[in-house]
Amino acid sequence: MPKHILIFDSGIGGLSVYKEIQYQLPLAKYIYAFDNAAFPYGELTESVLIERTTHIISQLCTKFAIDIVVIACNTASTIVLPTLRGKLTIPVVGVVPAIKPAALVSTKIGLLATPATVKRTYTYELIKSFAPISDVQLLGSTRLVEMAEEKMIGVDVDLKELKDILSPWQNKVDTIVLGCTHFPFLRNEIKKVLNGNVLLIDSGEAIARRVKQLLGEHEEDRREMIKGEVYCSAPTKNEEALNKTFRELGFNSLQYLDYPRF
């Protein structure tokens, strides 16, 4: 039996994490779920975020006999992990900004994240623990999340707008932590508007290694990928473009969650 891996995000940014995990575990069965009805998560209260996330993930864990859950959202990871780990009997892996590896190579670090992640006490504790002698500058942007989502369905990134957002960091940081799973999709554009003079670090590869470690070694009797399943919580006007993206990544067409609106 293939391992069943559930990857969850508020949008399609978690596909950057999926790519890293799928590279290391190509024969697993993947279920990708995103709560677009509540996108972006940074604007929700903690209680609503916990309620929505646990409802969706519990539903899919039962439906697919999931072996491991990956919360591919920095905002959700800092809030819902204790609740999910208390409710589920399977491993739950979260995402945290890659401050530690960044501090190993630089003292001029920029943390690019959502406004919610930038404000979290957890983020400042990471900096204090792993980058105490570094100059870490924080920049929170919801618009970058939207730009990444748009790029994934074929919309060109406005480089002037991107440059304006990142202008406070021009020539001031040499290493940028991509503290949102959407941002790796903007990697080339970020380097371009900052003249290529930055190192970009994200958590995707580390998450994939952790998932592989937790699942352990197992024999596969197949040599072909299994089509993945993808679910969202609300209809989207970009369904055709989204389905094209998901099919290219090895998923079946988009399905909708049985989910009460609240």
Side-chain angles (χ1 to χ4, degrees):
M1 281 287 293
K3 296 294 185 180
H4 285 57
I5 301 173
L6 172 59
I7 301 174
F8 177 84
D9 191 11
S10 61
I12 58 176
L15 289 173
S16 66
V17 175
Y18 159 75
K19 286 182 175 182
E20 296 285 356
I21 301 173
Q22 198 274 336
Y23 178 76
Q24 296 204 30
L25 295 166
L27 301 181
K29 167 80 173 184
Y30 290 92
I31 295 87
Y32 187 89
F34 61 105
D35 188 12
N36 57 320
F39 177 86
Y41 263 10
E43 298 178 7
L44 298 183
T45 64
E46 291 191 7
S47 60
V48 169
L49 197 156
I50 290 170
E51 188 172 0
R52 295 189 70 91
T53 302
T54 53
H55 180 94
I56 292 170
I57 290 173
S58 297
Q59 177 188 152
L60 291 172
C61 282
T62 300
K63 182 178 179 68
F64 289 102
I66 297 297
D67 293 292
I68 192 168
V69 175
V70 179
I71 306 298
C73 171
N74 286 270
T75 300
S77 292
T78 60
I79 296 170
V80 306
L81 288 184
T83 301
L84 277 175
R85 286 170 175 161
K87 186 178 181 67
L88 302 177
T89 58
I90 57 176
V92 181
V93 177
V95 182
V96 297
I99 296 294
K100 184 177 181 178
L104 294 175
V105 297
S106 175
T107 58
K108 296 170 62 179
I109 300 169
L111 171 58
L112 189 61
T114 62
T117 298
V118 164
K119 294 175 184 176
R120 296 275 180 241
T121 301
Y122 182 81
T123 301
Y124 290 90
E125 291 174 349
L126 277 178
I127 294 170
K128 183 178 179 181
S129 297
F130 298 114
I133 63 171
S134 298
D135 176 18
V136 182
Q137 299 189 36
L138 284 71
L139 180 60
S141 174
T142 298
R143 177 58 188 142
L144 286 187
V145 179
E146 296 167 348
M147 292 170 75
E149 292 258 327
E150 292 165 1
K151 181 183 177 180
M152 289 293 288
I153 58 170
V155 178
D156 290 337
V157 175
D158 185 332
L159 293 180
K160 183 181 183 304
E161 182 181 9
L162 179 61
K163 186 172 184 177
D164 289 342
I165 292 171
L166 298 177
S167 60
W169 285 353
Q170 195 71 252
N171 301 317
K172 293 182 179 178
V173 300
D174 57 29
T175 301
I176 293 178
V177 175
L178 301 177
C180 171
T181 55
H182 283 77
F183 296 167
F185 292 116
L186 300 174
R187 181 181 293 273
N188 292 338
E189 289 83 359
I190 291 171
K191 289 184 75 73
K192 187 171 184 177
V193 301
L194 293 177
N195 302 318
N197 296 322
V198 290
L199 173 65
L200 304 181
I201 299 177
D202 66 78
S203 303
E205 185 179 351
I207 296 164
R209 289 197 304 269
R210 181 60 175 158
V211 170
K212 188 174 183 180
Q213 177 189 43
L214 287 169
L215 288 178
E217 297 296 327
H218 59 282
E219 294 292 328
E220 294 284 2
D221 58 3
R222 298 168 296 105
R223 291 295 179 265
E224 295 182 1
M225 289 176 55
I226 303 174
K227 284 274 190 180
E229 307 294 341
V230 57
Y231 290 83
C232 65
S233 58
T236 170
K237 61 181 179 181
N238 301 313
E239 184 168 339
E240 183 177 348
L242 280 173
N243 273 327
K244 181 175 183 294
T245 296
F246 280 112
R247 283 194 293 267
E248 289 173 350
L249 291 172
F251 289 90
N252 289 311
S253 295
L254 192 62
Q255 302 173 69
Y256 294 101
L257 293 159
D258 177 17
Y259 185 70
R261 304 289 186 265
F262 59 85

